[in-house]
Amino acid sequence: MLDEVLPEFTTFLKAERDVSEHTLRAYLGDLRDLSRYGTTVGLSGPAELDVHVLRAWLARQYAMGLSRATLARRTAAARTFTRWLYRRGVLPSDPGPLLGTPKRTRDLPTVLAQDDADRLLDEMDATGPIGLRDLAILEVLYGTGMRVSELCGLDVDDIDTARNTVRVFGKGGKERTVPLGEPALRALGDWMRAGRPSVVTEASGPALFLGVRGGRLHATSARRIVHTRIAEVGEMPDLAPHGLRHSAATHLLEGGADLRSVQEILGHASLQTTQLYTHVSVERLKQVHRQAHPRGAAD
């Protein structure tokens, strides 16, 4: 039902909205599902979309047991799409604002204890070029709290050793400068001096982190590296790179950093997103209180 307009809508998302590849894939998948649903109920094209069809589609997703987060994203995809259709004159009015948004439940993220983070980085096997690379990856992820996509997009010139900072390009191409601690700088220096030259090729370009064949490291490979290295050290939660980002934010707040500073470091567009980590810190404090205080445990 939507095959004729989806390519143009894809161009709009890329060129005007500058959405990430992850968001692009998700939105297009959502709209293909809407297209299939529209076909089953007899719609012949996007001009026949209205609020009743969209609500019925979302209700069907709910009945299938989709999570609140997925329903919220599909609602957002439908709203973006119908607004675009309305502005192009395909729809006489925009039904998107009439859709309710499912309230997302925000589960507290799993984070490493500070002792576990230290143990992970101190006990990792960092021998050989790949070991040096992997240590630098984990030091940078935990030390800066950057996203894995941001890490894989780093170029050599993004590291400013004179100022102890790294230039990061986040969502929507927004640039920010993030401090680098001494352990991360030291690991990066070892990788650049004794690791990267061993795997670099003519096709490597300016990429900071490289795969075993010399190409820019892919996010999938970076996630596998984090899982593998955590498993090798053992006796700690299995985290993805985003878990190291959660850990960095939580430990910053536990160390006394203010919310605005953490927001800038993480590259959050909204302070509300950063506030999630205050709840993590409070839960950690409550756990410590229950374990350590003579009247902390419940009867």
Side-chain angles (χ1 to χ4, degrees):
M1 184 192 73
L2 304 179
D3 286 348
E4 293 183 1
V5 296
L6 281 183
E8 188 178 349
F9 182 65
T10 301
T11 301
F12 162 76
L13 290 176
K14 289 180 177 179
E16 297 188 34
R17 291 291 298 272
D18 195 24
V19 300
S20 68
E21 285 296 322
H22 175 78
T23 299
L24 180 66
R25 287 194 302 270
Y27 274 24
L28 293 179
D30 295 339
L31 293 175
R32 290 189 185 102
D33 188 88
L34 173 60
S35 181
R36 288 190 292 270
Y37 175 77
T39 300
T40 61
V41 297
L43 301 189
S44 60
E48 299 179 22
L49 285 175
D50 60 24
V51 67
H52 304 293
V53 172
L54 294 173
R55 284 174 176 167
W57 171 61
L58 292 170
R60 183 171 178 269
Q61 313 300 308
Y62 178 80
M64 292 170 59
L66 268 66
S67 68
R68 288 179 180 268
T70 300
L71 288 171
R73 192 199 65 226
R74 291 201 161 180
T75 303
R79 281 184 176 145
T80 304
F81 184 56
T82 58
R83 185 186 308 118
W84 178 76
L85 291 174
Y86 171 65
R87 290 177 176 174
R88 291 182 72 246
V90 177
L91 294 176
S93 61
D94 182 7
L98 300 176
L99 297 175
T101 301
K103 186 176 181 181
R104 296 182 61 174
T105 55
R106 299 299 297 269
D107 296 328
L108 296 181
T110 301
V111 298
L112 292 177
Q114 293 187 34
D115 289 345
D116 281 342
D118 288 339
R119 186 163 62 87
L120 169 65
L121 297 169
D122 291 341
E123 296 183 9
M124 259 188 61
D125 179 9
T127 56
I130 299 305
L132 293 174
R133 181 202 63 184
D134 292 357
L135 178 59
I137 287 172
L138 268 70
E139 285 281 10
V140 171
L141 285 173
Y142 174 63
T144 66
M146 70 174 63
R147 303 174 179 92
V148 67
S149 59
E150 296 168 344
L151 174 107
C152 293
L154 291 177
D155 290 337
V156 172
D157 291 342
D158 290 330
I159 307 299
D160 188 339
T161 55
R163 299 174 57 201
N164 291 7
T165 59
V166 56
R167 179 176 56 184
V168 182
F169 291 93
K171 290 184 176 180
K174 294 181 180 178
E175 180 181 338
R176 68 185 189 275
T177 300
V178 180
L180 281 171
E182 288 299 328
L185 283 167
R186 189 163 53 247
L188 282 169
D190 291 341
W191 157 243
M192 290 294 296
R193 183 181 64 260
R196 190 176 183 275
S198 300
V199 294
V200 70
T201 67
E202 292 182 359
S204 299
L208 176 62
F209 290 112
L210 307 175
V212 292
R213 296 181 181 178
R216 183 181 292 272
L217 186 71
H218 193 273
T220 302
S221 300
R223 293 187 184 96
R224 183 172 61 250
I225 289 166
V226 172
H227 285 297
T228 300
R229 292 301 186 169
I230 289 176
E232 287 175 353
V233 174
E235 297 183 0
M236 63 180 65
D238 178 28
L239 297 182
H242 219 65
L244 295 179
R245 176 173 165 86
H246 293 321
S247 301
T250 303
H251 298 165
L252 280 167
L253 289 169
E254 289 177 347
D258 62 274
L259 270 177
R260 287 289 183 187
S261 297
V262 176
Q263 179 189 7
E264 289 293 325
I265 290 172
L266 297 182
H268 284 155
S270 169
L271 188 62
Q272 184 178 3
T273 307
T274 315
Q275 286 176 331
L276 170 67
Y277 298 106
T278 63
H279 301 301
V280 179
S281 297
V282 169
E283 286 300 314
R284 183 72 62 81
L285 290 174
K286 287 163 65 177
Q287 180 181 358
V288 171
H289 184 268
R290 286 193 296 267
Q291 294 176 346
H293 195 281
R295 292 186 178 271
D299 293 335

